[in-house]
mmCIF file of all heavy atoms in Angstrom:
data_model
loop_
_atom_site.group_PDB
_atom_site.id
_atom_site.type_symbol
_atom_site.label_atom_id
_atom_site.label_comp_id
_atom_site.label_asym_id
_atom_site.label_seq_id
_atom_site.Cartn_x
_atom_site.Cartn_y
_atom_site.Cartn_z
ATOM 1 N N ALA A 688 49.042 46.085 27.071
ATOM 2 C CA ALA A 688 49.158 44.716 27.578
ATOM 3 C C ALA A 688 49.706 44.753 29.000
ATOM 4 O O ALA A 688 50.450 45.671 29.369
ATOM 5 C CB ALA A 688 50.073 43.893 26.684
ATOM 6 N N ARG A 689 49.330 43.737 29.772
ATOM 7 C CA ARG A 689 49.789 43.649 31.152
ATOM 8 C C ARG A 689 51.180 43.027 31.219
ATOM 9 O O ARG A 689 51.506 42.126 30.441
ATOM 10 C CB ARG A 689 48.812 42.791 31.982
ATOM 11 C CG ARG A 689 47.460 43.438 32.222
ATOM 12 C CD ARG A 689 46.510 42.432 32.852
ATOM 13 N NE ARG A 689 46.450 41.221 32.044
ATOM 14 C CZ ARG A 689 46.306 39.984 32.529
ATOM 15 N NH1 ARG A 689 46.216 39.786 33.826
ATOM 16 N NH2 ARG A 689 46.252 38.963 31.716
ATOM 17 N N CYS A 690 51.931 43.487 32.182
ATOM 18 C CA CYS A 690 53.304 43.001 32.423
ATOM 19 C C CYS A 690 53.405 41.475 32.340
ATOM 20 O O CYS A 690 54.320 40.939 31.708
ATOM 21 C CB CYS A 690 53.719 43.523 33.792
ATOM 22 S SG CYS A 690 55.215 42.875 34.487
ATOM 23 N N THR A 691 52.465 40.787 32.944
ATOM 24 C CA THR A 691 52.534 39.318 32.959
ATOM 25 C C THR A 691 52.596 38.698 31.561
ATOM 26 O O THR A 691 53.098 37.598 31.396
ATOM 27 C CB THR A 691 51.354 38.741 33.789
ATOM 28 O OG1 THR A 691 51.474 37.332 33.846
ATOM 29 C CG2 THR A 691 50.004 39.083 33.171
ATOM 30 N N THR A 692 52.091 39.440 30.556
ATOM 31 C CA THR A 692 52.071 38.881 29.202
ATOM 32 C C THR A 692 53.390 39.096 28.434
ATOM 33 O O THR A 692 53.573 38.516 27.367
ATOM 34 C CB THR A 692 50.904 39.456 28.357
ATOM 35 O OG1 THR A 692 51.115 40.865 28.176
ATOM 36 C CG2 THR A 692 49.557 39.237 29.016
ATOM 37 N N PHE A 693 54.286 39.954 28.970
ATOM 38 C CA PHE A 693 55.554 40.181 28.236
ATOM 39 C C PHE A 693 56.793 40.140 29.143
ATOM 40 O O PHE A 693 57.904 40.458 28.732
ATOM 41 C CB PHE A 693 55.517 41.509 27.459
ATOM 42 C CG PHE A 693 55.227 42.728 28.292
ATOM 43 C CD1 PHE A 693 56.234 43.371 28.981
ATOM 44 C CD2 PHE A 693 53.931 43.229 28.390
ATOM 45 C CE1 PHE A 693 55.976 44.484 29.765
ATOM 46 C CE2 PHE A 693 53.649 44.353 29.168
ATOM 47 C CZ PHE A 693 54.684 44.982 29.864
ATOM 48 N N GLN A 694 56.595 39.710 30.401
ATOM 49 C CA GLN A 694 57.678 39.666 31.379
ATOM 50 C C GLN A 694 58.860 38.813 30.901
ATOM 51 O O GLN A 694 60.009 39.250 30.915
ATOM 52 C CB GLN A 694 57.092 39.047 32.644
ATOM 53 C CG GLN A 694 57.638 39.532 33.942
ATOM 54 C CD GLN A 694 56.669 39.163 35.060
ATOM 55 O OE1 GLN A 694 55.952 38.153 34.971
ATOM 56 N NE2 GLN A 694 56.649 39.965 36.101
ATOM 57 N N THR A 695 58.556 37.607 30.469
ATOM 58 C CA THR A 695 59.622 36.710 30.028
ATOM 59 C C THR A 695 60.387 37.319 28.859
ATOM 60 O O THR A 695 61.614 37.232 28.781
ATOM 61 C CB THR A 695 59.023 35.354 29.614
ATOM 62 O OG1 THR A 695 58.316 34.839 30.742
ATOM 63 C CG2 THR A 695 60.101 34.370 29.209
ATOM 64 N N ARG A 696 59.655 37.967 27.964
ATOM 65 C CA ARG A 696 60.316 38.563 26.796
ATOM 66 C C ARG A 696 61.321 39.633 27.193
ATOM 67 O O ARG A 696 62.444 39.632 26.702
ATOM 68 C CB ARG A 696 59.262 39.149 25.843
ATOM 69 C CG ARG A 696 59.872 39.953 24.707
ATOM 70 C CD ARG A 696 58.968 40.053 23.507
ATOM 71 N NE ARG A 696 59.459 41.002 22.525
ATOM 72 C CZ ARG A 696 60.504 40.795 21.731
ATOM 73 N NH1 ARG A 696 61.175 39.664 21.801
ATOM 74 N NH2 ARG A 696 60.897 41.703 20.865
ATOM 75 N N ILE A 697 60.942 40.529 28.099
ATOM 76 C CA ILE A 697 61.859 41.648 28.396
ATOM 77 C C ILE A 697 63.004 41.251 29.328
ATOM 78 O O ILE A 697 63.982 41.976 29.429
ATOM 79 C CB ILE A 697 61.107 42.890 28.946
ATOM 80 C CG1 ILE A 697 60.395 42.579 30.261
ATOM 81 C CG2 ILE A 697 60.123 43.416 27.898
ATOM 82 C CD1 ILE A 697 59.745 43.807 30.896
ATOM 83 N N TYR A 698 62.876 40.135 30.019
ATOM 84 C CA TYR A 698 63.979 39.685 30.879
ATOM 85 C C TYR A 698 64.839 38.609 30.245
ATOM 86 O O TYR A 698 66.032 38.531 30.518
ATOM 87 C CB TYR A 698 63.447 39.216 32.246
ATOM 88 C CG TYR A 698 63.019 40.393 33.097
ATOM 89 C CD1 TYR A 698 61.692 40.799 33.119
ATOM 90 C CD2 TYR A 698 63.963 41.132 33.817
ATOM 91 C CE1 TYR A 698 61.303 41.911 33.854
ATOM 92 C CE2 TYR A 698 63.581 42.241 34.554
ATOM 93 C CZ TYR A 698 62.255 42.630 34.574
ATOM 94 O OH TYR A 698 61.885 43.733 35.290
ATOM 95 N N ASN A 699 64.230 37.774 29.393
ATOM 96 C CA ASN A 699 64.955 36.580 28.965
ATOM 97 C C ASN A 699 65.146 36.406 27.466
ATOM 98 O O ASN A 699 65.784 35.443 27.065
ATOM 99 C CB ASN A 699 64.251 35.329 29.496
ATOM 100 C CG ASN A 699 64.602 35.080 30.964
ATOM 101 O OD1 ASN A 699 65.503 35.697 31.503
ATOM 102 N ND2 ASN A 699 63.866 34.181 31.582
ATOM 103 N N GLU A 700 64.593 37.274 26.654
ATOM 104 C CA GLU A 700 64.741 37.035 25.214
ATOM 105 C C GLU A 700 65.855 37.898 24.641
ATOM 106 O O GLU A 700 66.174 38.966 25.182
ATOM 107 C CB GLU A 700 63.396 37.275 24.502
ATOM 108 C CG GLU A 700 62.384 36.209 24.907
ATOM 109 C CD GLU A 700 61.073 36.243 24.136
ATOM 110 O OE1 GLU A 700 60.879 37.122 23.266
ATOM 111 O OE2 GLU A 700 60.236 35.363 24.414
ATOM 112 N N THR A 701 66.415 37.444 23.542
ATOM 113 C CA THR A 701 67.544 38.158 22.954
ATOM 114 C C THR A 701 67.154 38.934 21.700
ATOM 115 O O THR A 701 67.851 39.870 21.319
ATOM 116 C CB THR A 701 68.673 37.172 22.592
ATOM 117 O OG1 THR A 701 68.103 36.117 21.816
ATOM 118 C CG2 THR A 701 69.302 36.601 23.845
ATOM 119 N N ASN A 702 66.028 38.572 21.073
ATOM 120 C CA ASN A 702 65.646 39.294 19.850
ATOM 121 C C ASN A 702 64.785 40.516 20.182
ATOM 122 O O ASN A 702 63.709 40.727 19.648
ATOM 123 C CB ASN A 702 64.907 38.364 18.869
ATOM 124 C CG ASN A 702 63.598 37.837 19.455
ATOM 125 O OD1 ASN A 702 63.370 37.921 20.649
ATOM 126 N ND2 ASN A 702 62.743 37.295 18.594
ATOM 127 N N ILE A 703 65.305 41.314 21.140
ATOM 128 C CA ILE A 703 64.581 42.526 21.554
ATOM 129 C C ILE A 703 65.587 43.671 21.655
ATOM 130 O O ILE A 703 66.727 43.475 22.124
ATOM 131 C CB ILE A 703 63.844 42.276 22.904
ATOM 132 C CG1 ILE A 703 62.997 43.495 23.301
ATOM 133 C CG2 ILE A 703 64.820 41.882 24.019
ATOM 134 C CD1 ILE A 703 62.009 43.205 24.438
ATOM 135 N N ASP A 704 65.178 44.842 21.195
ATOM 136 C CA ASP A 704 66.018 46.034 21.278
ATOM 137 C C ASP A 704 66.390 46.275 22.745
ATOM 138 O O ASP A 704 65.515 46.313 23.607
ATOM 139 C CB ASP A 704 65.232 47.225 20.708
ATOM 140 C CG ASP A 704 65.988 48.523 20.823
ATOM 141 O OD1 ASP A 704 66.730 48.852 19.891
ATOM 142 O OD2 ASP A 704 65.826 49.217 21.859
ATOM 143 N N SER A 705 67.677 46.459 23.032
ATOM 144 C CA SER A 705 68.089 46.459 24.441
ATOM 145 C C SER A 705 67.599 47.683 25.205
ATOM 146 O O SER A 705 67.226 47.574 26.374
ATOM 147 C CB SER A 705 69.599 46.282 24.567
ATOM 148 O OG SER A 705 70.240 47.260 23.805
#
Side-chain angles (χ1 to χ4, degrees):
R689 290 171 306 145
C690 170
T691 183
T692 64
F693 56 84
Q694 213 162 30
T695 302
R696 172 157 170 73
I697 62 175
Y698 287 95
N699 280 349
E700 292 187 358
T701 51
N702 63 345
I703 184 167
D704 177 90
S705 54

